[in-house]
Amino acid sequence: MRIRKDSLLIKIIFYNDIAIFLTSILIAIVVILTSFEDMEQRVEDTTKNKMNLLMGNYKSYFGEIRNDVYKEIGKYRISEGNQKVAEMIKYNLLKEDFRSYYNSVVTIISSEGDLLGEYGNKGNLGTLNEDNIHILLENTSKKEFEETGYYLAQVQNKIYGRVIIPYGNETTTYYLVVSIPINREFLTSLTDGLELTSKDRVYFVTNTADKDELQAKFFFSNRTYREILKKDYKNYFLNKKINGLSYYVGIYNLIGYNDSYLGSFMIALSKEKLTEEKLMTSIYIGILVLLIMIISSTVSTKVFRKLLMPLSQIADLADKISNGEKIEDIKVVGQGEIRTLSISFKEMIEKLNIAQEDLTIQNKELVRNIERIEAIDKLLMGMNIEQDTFKTIKKLVSGFTSEVGLGYGRAMYFRYSRENDYLIGEEIAINRTLKEESKKGFKFQLKNLKELVLFTKVPINNENLLAKSFKEQKIIYKNDAGYKYDLGNDVFKAIGLKNFFIFPIHGAGKFSGVVVVDNYTKDARINQEELELLNLLSMNFSIGINNKETTLDKLESQRVLTIEKLATRFLSLRGEVVDKLLKCVKSENSGEKIIEELTTIKPYLLRIREDNESLKIYSEETESEYERICLDKIINEIIEDYTQKFKNEKISISFFNTTSGTILGNRKKLKKAIKEIIDNAYNALLNKQNNRRIDIILSKKRINNKIELKIIDNGMGISAKQLEDIYEPFVSYSPQTLGLGLFFVHKVIKDHDGVIKHFSEEGSSTEVKITLNAYKEEV
């Protein structure tokens, strides 16, 4: 292929060489800087290691002094002259190590601070005197002294290290003090074994004006000197030029007994060798970069030459596309216009493939939504809401998980208990395919799901998702894991909810509640179209439930109205007849025969009068006004009314009260209802020979703000069959009662938004539990 001067290939090679050159220079700079930094770091590390060795020698020096003195001090008795003891100890220490102890001074003082003996180099005698002995005694009691055994002090512009050894017996204590001058000679003795080169330096600087030592404030810069005086740390490291040469300096600060700066030990390592290493490294890296540039330029020239050859490949692809062939993917080839053309073909194919995939997904979603609509239609058509509400809800729960229905993974029904103000788990349904094929999740999340749900209680008075869905009567859904949300009970964190929604069931009487449905282990998400279909199901289901409840309420109202009309129509006449007959029976002017005949119908007349009294209750006008009342007062009034009657039959009655039982209600109706229950308990005890007892318990549940009233008798109990229709009107298992008492009680409690329950077994006691809402100011 012929290459022209303005060819794209020449331009690419030219710009590529520039890029290689700039990149190589950048890499060289980075490598050189990294290498220099590593070299600097090695010098720093070496300096720090040597400073650590110097500090080790410094601390061990004082430790060896203590050991040597301890060995000598045991050879002498206290009774011997202290001056003589000081001289002998100094003499023996010199024999032990002449270099270390030549300038030392041995001093003996009493515990009261009296100087008893001193011997040593004359130039350092007298540095421990009456003016500073108290400082020595004070330092012996410091915690720092207990750890080190020595301290530093400055006397006459000189620095001394004082090693203190207490000795004596039970009655007498002396202090033997070894004073060592800290100077350049002392520092030089510590550098043995540090392997310093001839170019390295060791310095001793002080904070005094002594002409024989280097002064810190003149040796350091002002900034460094201020940093050292802060005494925040004992070690300090810096780069410093000394006599025109570069050094890396390690500094150890000497701090006195009163936390004052006295001077510093310094090790300065020469950086002359480091400079030579930097120069050689730069030369080597430069040569290497030059070689890389030459090789890269040669290789790239050959590679780019081949990049102009793939025009025929692009043409073949264009022909295939024009013929309608499907191409999964193409390889981008060429440069410049060729590459642009290649990329355009690639993007066009990708867009076509994406559009086809989107269309396929949309078709699947459309088919799925149509199937869901059909499933919801079949579900609503198959539910006979007019029969049994609970069976209808069970069909709804099963329909959520049926493969011919909505096809979700799991559905759990939670019924609302008005008595406890809780949502209580009652029913579950699991998709059959999950039971057979699912390998994800835990086995207990399917196998033991029913036990977990039946065990679950969710409070309505808390702000959780189930309570929110129930109270607001709307569907709530989350495309996420259930444990991330407050669902009202920790059990939901264990059952593995995923991509779930909460379906409220309202208007279902005692079967109101929610259904929790999820996709379990599936990645299927709940979309907006799906939510609209679920709202449609909820609306139709609620309409059916409400229609049924409206019908039931209407029937009950008509039944009550019929009873009221019956009572109103016939009571007046029957009451008048009864009164006249009783009057004839009681009349003294009637003949003996009439009296005898009337006496035979007396029991029947009494029965009619009792029925008359029962029916009068329903003929009275309904009071619609409610007031704040206290149940404990009502109960005490009833007990007082029954006191004589219970006493005659030897029945004991007890009232256990933990609250006033304040509620909002109709006083007259509630009193009649409670009297009816106590009358039933009284009648149940008449057939018992002895130990007749009635217990009344009034309490308040703090957890749900409910008032609970229990009336318990130890009579003969009620059979299970009798409990089934105990609240139905005109149902009585005693010939002496009309069968309207408990029907009236049930209606009164229901009108007060309460719950009444009977618990009994034949031959055992009977318990009646009434639950009412406690009074609230805002209601």
Side-chain angles (χ1 to χ4, degrees):
M1 177 183 294
R2 184 177 178 182
I3 301 176
R4 296 175 296 178
K5 292 182 179 180
D6 58 349
S7 170
L8 181 62
L9 177 60
I10 293 176
K11 293 181 180 179
I12 290 174
I13 293 173
F14 174 74
Y15 290 122
N16 183 69
D17 288 344
I18 293 176
I20 291 173
F21 174 76
L22 294 176
T23 304
S24 300
I25 294 298
L26 179 61
I27 292 173
I29 292 172
V30 172
V31 172
I32 289 172
L33 292 177
T34 305
S35 301
F36 287 1
E37 185 178 354
D38 182 63
M39 293 175 187
E40 292 279 354
Q41 188 62 47
R42 279 191 282 120
V43 174
E44 293 178 14
D45 293 341
T46 302
T47 306
K48 290 178 182 179
N49 291 335
K50 292 187 184 299
M51 282 298 297
N52 289 333
L53 289 174
L54 179 66
M55 293 307 98
N57 293 341
Y58 173 70
K59 293 177 181 179
S60 64
Y61 179 86
F62 290 105
E64 290 174 0
I65 291 176
R66 289 177 64 85
N67 293 336
D68 292 343
V69 174
Y70 273 122
K71 291 178 185 178
E72 295 299 326
I73 203 169
K75 300 176 182 179
Y76 306 100
R77 295 188 299 275
I78 294 177
S79 60
E80 296 175 340
N82 288 305
Q83 182 62 33
K84 181 180 178 182
V85 172
E87 293 175 3
M88 293 303 297
I89 289 176
K90 173 62 185 286
Y91 175 74
N92 290 334
L93 289 176
L94 288 173
K95 289 196 300 181
E96 184 75 25
D97 189 343
F98 182 83
R99 180 182 177 184
S100 297
Y101 295 107
Y102 174 73
N103 288 321
S104 66
V105 175
V106 177
T107 308
I108 298 176
I109 63 174
S110 67
S111 59
E112 289 79 17
D114 298 326
L115 183 64
L116 304 178
E118 186 174 50
Y119 188 76
N121 187 295
K122 291 184 178 180
N124 297 309
L125 287 174
T127 59
L128 187 61
N129 50 48
E130 294 179 355
D131 295 334
N132 54 24
I133 284 178
H134 70 279
I135 296 173
L136 182 142
L137 294 176
E138 290 172 1
N139 276 278
T140 58
S141 62
K142 290 184 177 179
K143 184 178 179 181
E144 296 83 354
F145 174 77
E146 293 178 2
E147 297 175 353
T148 60
Y150 71 94
Y151 72 93
L152 299 180
Q154 185 172 335
V155 181
Q156 299 173 359
N157 295 331
K158 290 185 179 181
I159 303 172
Y160 289 91
R162 306 215 191 266
V163 180
I164 309 169
I165 292 69
Y167 74 101
N169 53 29
E170 296 179 354
T171 59
T172 305
T173 301
Y174 296 140
Y175 292 99
L176 193 147
V177 184
V178 180
S179 300
I180 308 294
I182 308 299
N183 49 32
R184 180 174 175 78
E185 293 177 3
F186 176 80
L187 174 59
T188 304
S189 67
L190 298 179
T191 59
D192 292 343
L194 295 187
E195 298 181 357
L196 299 176
T197 67
S198 59
K199 297 180 180 180
D200 298 331
R201 297 287 181 266
V202 177
Y203 296 98
F204 175 71
V205 297
T206 67
N207 198 32
T208 66
D210 196 323
K211 62 182 180 179
D212 296 331
E213 303 292 351
L214 294 174
Q215 293 187 43
K217 63 181 179 181
F218 298 122
F219 188 81
F220 300 119
S221 65
N222 291 334
R223 179 179 177 183
T224 303
Y225 184 65
R226 285 195 300 272
E227 290 290 328
I228 290 173
L229 288 180
K230 288 180 180 179
K231 300 184 289 300
D232 294 332
Y233 35 76
K234 287 191 175 182
N235 287 334
Y236 193 84
F237 298 92
L238 55 85
N239 288 294
K240 182 174 177 60
K241 279 191 174 292
I242 303 174
N243 298 327
L245 299 177
S246 296
Y247 291 89
Y248 189 77
V249 181
I251 304 167
Y252 178 77
N253 295 328
L254 301 175
I255 307 301
Y257 66 88
N258 58 353
D259 200 29
S260 61
Y261 171 73
L262 303 179
S264 301
F265 292 157
M266 295 173 45
I267 295 179
L269 297 189
S270 174
K271 299 176 72 173
E272 185 177 345
K273 186 177 179 181
L274 176 64
T275 304
E276 295 175 358
E277 290 179 355
K278 287 182 178 180
L279 178 60
M280 295 303 298
T281 301
S282 300
I283 294 172
Y284 291 146
I285 293 175
I287 294 172
L288 181 61
V289 168
L290 183 60
L291 290 174
I292 292 173
M293 290 173 58
I294 295 171
I295 295 171
S296 300
S297 179
T298 303
V299 172
S300 62
T301 300
K302 293 182 179 180
V303 170
F304 288 129
R305 183 181 178 87
K306 294 180 180 179
L307 292 178
L308 296 177
M309 301 298 294
L311 281 174
S312 59
Q313 298 178 12
I314 295 177
D316 292 339
L317 289 172
D319 290 337
K320 290 181 180 180
I321 293 171
S322 63
N323 293 329
E325 296 183 22
K326 183 178 180 181
I327 300 173
E328 294 295 335
D329 195 10
I330 65 171
K331 185 177 180 181
V332 177
V333 293
Q335 293 294 332
E337 295 83 357
I338 299 173
R339 181 177 179 81
T340 302
L341 185 59
S342 178
I343 292 173
S344 298
F345 271 100
K346 180 178 176 65
E347 291 176 351
M348 181 180 65
I349 292 171
E350 288 175 351
K351 290 179 180 178
L352 287 173
N353 291 337
I354 291 172
Q356 189 172 3
E357 290 174 0
D358 289 343
L359 185 60
T360 303
I361 292 172
Q362 290 175 6
N363 287 336
K364 289 181 179 179
E365 285 293 327
L366 180 60
V367 172
R368 180 59 181 155
N369 286 333
I370 292 173
E371 290 175 351
R372 285 193 176 121
I373 293 173
E374 293 176 352
I376 290 174
D377 187 50
K378 291 178 181 178
L379 193 61
L380 291 172
M381 293 294 292
M383 290 181 182
N384 189 354
I385 297 178
E386 299 300 326
Q387 293 182 358
D388 189 290
T389 304
F390 184 63
K391 287 183 179 178
T392 303
I393 292 174
K394 286 181 67 175
K395 285 184 180 180
L396 174 67
V397 173
S398 299
F400 277 125
T401 59
S402 173
E403 281 300 308
V404 296
L406 295 174
Y408 293 104
R410 301 178 301 179
M412 294 151 275
Y413 165 57
F414 296 86
R415 179 182 62 82
Y416 173 61
S417 171
R418 187 174 58 183
E419 177 185 2
N420 298 306
D421 209 22
Y422 274 96
L423 289 168
I424 302 173
E426 285 209 349
E427 185 66 28
I428 69 160
I430 301 174
N431 195 312
R432 185 165 54 88
T433 59
L434 289 179
K435 296 180 180 179
E436 297 174 354
E437 303 175 6
S438 179
K439 294 182 181 179
K440 298 180 180 179
F442 297 98
K443 289 184 179 179
F444 75 88
Q445 293 172 343
L446 295 177
K447 185 177 179 181
N448 304 108
L449 183 62
K450 186 167 185 177
E451 289 84 352
L452 290 171
V453 169
L454 294 179
F455 175 73
T456 304
K457 293 182 179 180
V458 179
I460 287 296
N461 54 353
N462 291 347
E463 290 300 324
N464 55 73
L465 289 186
L466 266 70
K468 184 178 180 181
S469 176
F470 177 76
K471 290 188 289 187
E472 297 180 4
Q473 297 183 0
K474 71 175 183 179
I475 297 173
I476 296 176
Y477 73 100
K478 301 289 182 182
N479 285 311
D480 211 337
Y483 69 85
K484 297 181 179 179
Y485 301 93
D486 178 14
L487 293 168
N489 193 297
D490 288 342
V491 174
F492 286 103
K493 297 179 180 180
I495 61 178
L497 280 180
K498 183 177 180 182
N499 297 354
F500 65 95
F501 66 86
I502 304 169
F503 186 93
I505 297 176
H506 48 89
K510 66 179 181 179
F511 296 108
S512 296
V514 297
V515 181
V516 180
V517 183
D518 78 331
N519 283 303
Y520 193 52
T521 65
K522 297 180 181 179
D523 293 326
R525 296 171 65 84
I526 301 167
N527 54 41
Q528 192 62 34
E529 293 80 5
E530 191 173 348
L531 183 64
E532 292 175 1
L533 292 175
L534 292 171
N535 282 323
L536 178 64
L537 174 62
S538 175
M539 180 180 66
N540 283 276
F541 187 79
S542 299
I543 290 173
I545 291 290
N546 286 323
N547 287 340
K548 179 188 174 183
E549 289 192 354
T550 302
T551 302
L552 292 176
D553 290 342
K554 186 180 292 184
L555 288 174
E556 184 177 1
S557 299
Q558 290 176 351
R559 183 167 56 183
V560 172
L561 182 62
T562 301
I563 293 171
E564 291 175 354
K565 289 180 178 179
L566 179 66
T568 303
R569 183 173 181 180
F570 294 104
L571 286 182
S572 177
L573 179 61
R574 292 180 63 193
E576 185 179 349
V577 172
V578 170
D579 290 338
K580 288 181 179 181
L581 287 175
L582 289 175
K583 186 175 181 181
C584 290
V585 171
K586 295 178 180 179
S587 175
E588 297 180 357
N589 299 326
S590 303
E592 295 181 358
K593 187 175 182 180
I594 295 174
I595 293 173
E596 183 179 350
E597 290 178 356
L598 291 175
T599 302
T600 59
I601 65 170
K602 182 178 180 180
Y604 301 101
L605 296 176
L606 293 173
R607 169 68 187 280
I608 292 172
R609 188 170 67 178
E610 289 177 1
D611 291 348
N612 202 31
E613 292 296 327
S614 297
L615 289 171
K616 277 183 180 180
I617 296 174
Y618 304 99
S619 64
E620 295 176 353
E621 293 183 2
T622 302
E623 297 181 12
S624 58
E625 291 186 2
Y626 279 34
E627 61 181 334
R628 181 177 180 178
I629 59 176
C630 297
L631 286 179
D632 60 332
K633 293 182 180 179
I634 294 176
I635 294 169
N636 284 321
E637 291 174 4
I638 295 172
I639 292 175
E640 186 176 350
D641 294 341
Y642 280 84
T643 300
Q644 188 61 44
K645 182 178 181 181
F646 284 176
K647 185 176 181 180
N648 295 337
E649 296 295 339
K650 296 182 179 180
I651 297 174
S652 63
I653 183 167
S654 301
F655 180 30
F656 303 96
N657 181 25
T658 61
T659 178
S660 64
T662 305
I663 65 169
L664 187 68
N666 185 297
R667 178 183 176 85
K668 185 175 181 181
K669 286 189 175 182
L670 281 173
K671 187 171 182 179
K672 285 183 180 180
I674 296 172
K675 270 190 172 184
E676 184 66 35
I677 297 172
I678 294 177
D679 280 337
N680 287 346
Y682 170 81
N683 293 330
L685 291 171
L686 294 178
N687 295 327
K688 192 171 182 179
Q689 298 300 322
N690 50 30
N691 190 25
R692 301 173 177 178
R693 183 175 183 82
I694 298 175
D695 292 327
I696 303 174
I697 303 170
L698 183 64
S699 60
K700 182 176 182 180
K701 292 182 177 180
R702 292 184 179 181
I703 191 171
N704 55 10
N705 205 30
K706 300 281 186 180
I707 300 296
E708 189 175 86
L709 172 64
K710 292 183 180 180
I711 302 175
I712 306 169
D713 67 76
N714 62 345
M716 305 308 294
I718 306 172
S719 67
K721 186 176 183 308
Q722 291 173 336
L723 283 174
E724 290 181 1
D725 53 8
I726 196 170
Y727 302 122
E728 293 296 322
F730 300 110
V731 175
S732 174
Y733 294 94
S734 172
Q736 285 77 31
T737 58
L738 189 60
L740 290 174
L742 290 179
F743 169 72
F744 166 76
V745 172
H746 181 267
K747 186 175 186 306
V748 169
I749 300 303
K750 184 179 178 182
D751 290 343
H752 284 76
D753 292 327
V755 178
I756 180 171
K757 289 186 178 181
H758 272 68
F759 304 95
S760 182
E761 291 182 6
E762 194 168 6
S764 181
S765 61
T766 299
E767 176 184 331
V768 181
K769 184 172 77 170
I770 297 173
T771 305
L772 297 166
N773 294 318
Y775 179 83
K776 293 182 179 179
E777 290 291 344
E778 64 270 16
V779 176

